[in-house]
């Protein structure tokens, strides 16, 4: 299972765009890239998932270069409520075994 | 469409006791996994159930066991509780028929061992 590396923490201000980059050099052919958001004392919440190129939904965009060795989660116009820990994971999901790193603690300030 | 539901949300047990946590997967999902999350850490994979059998297991002792029922719901059992078992226990589900096998998590069960 591919390990991921992401910044431990990031600071931003309300209304800014936030980009969190994740490295996954050993990603396998069948692996998808999935990002989760977690608030204290709550379960991780699915944000977005992609395999290659760009994926966009109502809350975020995910950019994946051709070599798939990294990915960038983009959160447009963050608000205070986006303060949370963000996890990047890779895997094919079928095994259900996701390896969580420390995640990126995003702090959004007014 | 109900998501992943877990019960109880909070419980307190005494060292040496046994505990059972319950999980109902998201509608349409057939695979259930359990994770343990200690304070300040990322979730750690305990095991996964599919077709009522344990398919994968993380680095957890045999005191941790589980079960999956024909309706895909699942239980996590922990015997001989230790203080270090205090954590948030997360249930996650996915469907092996879905592209990408997106995994969804419940809100967790907070276990405190005293």
């Amino acid at each position: 299972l591919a390990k991921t590396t992401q910044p431990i923490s990031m600071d931003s201000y309300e209304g800014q765009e936030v980009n969190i980059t994740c490295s996954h050099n050993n990603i396998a052919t069948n692996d998808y890239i999935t990002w989760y958001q977690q608030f204290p004392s709550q379960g991780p919440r699915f944000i977005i998932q992609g395999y290659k190129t760009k994926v966009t939904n109502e809350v975020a965009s995910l950019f994946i270069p051709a070599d798939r060795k990294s990915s960038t989660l983009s959160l447009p116009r963050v608000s205070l409520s986006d303060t949370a820990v963000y996890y990047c994971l890779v895997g094919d999901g079928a095994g259900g075994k996701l390896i969580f790193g420390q995640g990126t603690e995003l702090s959004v300030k007014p | 469409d109900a998501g992943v539901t877990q019960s109880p949300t909070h419980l307190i047990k005494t060292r040496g006791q046994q505990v059972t946590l319950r999980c109902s997967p998201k509608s349409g999902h057939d695979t259930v996994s359990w994770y343990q999350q200690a304070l300040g850490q990322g979730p750690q994979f305990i095991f996964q159930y599919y077709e009522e059998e344990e398919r994968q297991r993380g680095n957890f002792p045999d005191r941790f066991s589980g079960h999956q029922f024909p309706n895909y719901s699942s239980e996590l059992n922990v015997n001989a509780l230790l203080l270090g078992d205090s954590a948030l226990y997360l249930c996650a589900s996915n469907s092996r028929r879905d592209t990408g096998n997106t995994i969804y998590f419940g809100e967790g069960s907070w276990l405190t061992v005293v």
Side-chain angles (χ1 to χ4, degrees):
Chain A
L1 290 164
K3 289 186 64 175
T4 60
T5 303
Q6 52 184 122
I8 293 176
S9 64
M10 293 182 68
D11 291 330
S12 182
Y13 291 93
E14 280 191 293
Q16 288 188 331
E17 178 185 73
V18 171
N19 295 308
I20 306 174
T21 297
C22 178
S23 298
H24 27 79
N25 291 319
N26 297 320
I27 188 169
T29 303
N30 294 334
D31 286 344
Y32 281 73
I33 301 156
T34 311
W35 286 80
Y36 291 88
Q37 175 194 57
Q38 188 176 30
F39 298 111
S41 303
Q42 295 185 22
R45 184 175 76 93
F46 171 82
I47 302 175
I48 197 166
Q49 183 183 65
Y51 185 80
K52 61 181 179 180
T53 63
K54 177 184 175 182
V55 180
T56 299
N57 61 23
E58 62 276 9
V59 298
S61 295
L62 179 60
F63 299 92
I64 305 168
D67 66 5
R68 303 200 328 123
K69 293 184 183 299
S70 67
S71 59
T72 299
L73 173 71
S74 181
L75 304 172
R77 298 179 299 281
V78 295
S79 63
L80 296 177
S81 62
D82 292 318
T83 294
V85 177
Y86 292 81
Y87 292 100
C88 160
L89 296 106
V90 298
D92 65 6
K97 183 177 181 178
L98 298 175
I99 299 179
F100 284 80
Q102 287 294 104
T104 297
E105 188 168 2
L106 173 65
S107 177
V108 180
K109 303 174 183 179
Chain B
D1 177 23
V4 180
T5 58
Q6 295 186 239
S7 64
T9 54
H10 295 81
L11 70 166
I12 300 173
K13 290 287 188 177
T14 304
R15 200 170 34 178
Q17 284 189 317
Q18 179 262 346
V19 68
T20 297
L21 308 177
R22 296 176 176 81
C23 171
S24 292
K26 181 178 171 64
S27 178
H29 285 186
D30 54 15
T31 304
V32 173
S33 303
W34 287 91
Y35 291 76
Q36 179 196 65
Q37 186 173 23
L39 209 57
Q41 304 295 317
Q44 300 294 311
F45 176 78
I46 302 175
F47 44 53
Q48 180 209 46
Y49 278 83
Y50 173 67
E51 292 186 333
E52 302 178 48
E53 289 188 13
E54 183 182 296
R55 300 293 178 166
Q56 284 199 69
R57 190 178 182 92
N59 188 26
F60 280 80
D62 292 344
R63 297 187 297 109
F64 290 77
S65 64
H67 189 77
Q68 185 180 35
F69 300 94
N71 66 352
Y72 307 116
S73 66
S74 176
E75 288 182 350
L76 165 65
N77 300 292
V78 187
N79 295 321
L81 285 167
L82 304 173
L83 297 180
D85 294 331
S86 295
L88 178 66
Y89 287 86
L90 296 163
C91 175
S93 73
N94 62 287
S95 169
R96 295 193 174 208
R97 296 181 296 273
D98 291 344
T99 302
N101 289 286
T102 306
I103 295 172
Y104 293 88
F105 287 82
E107 291 301 321
S109 294
W110 269 109
L111 171 64
T112 301
V113 182
V114 298

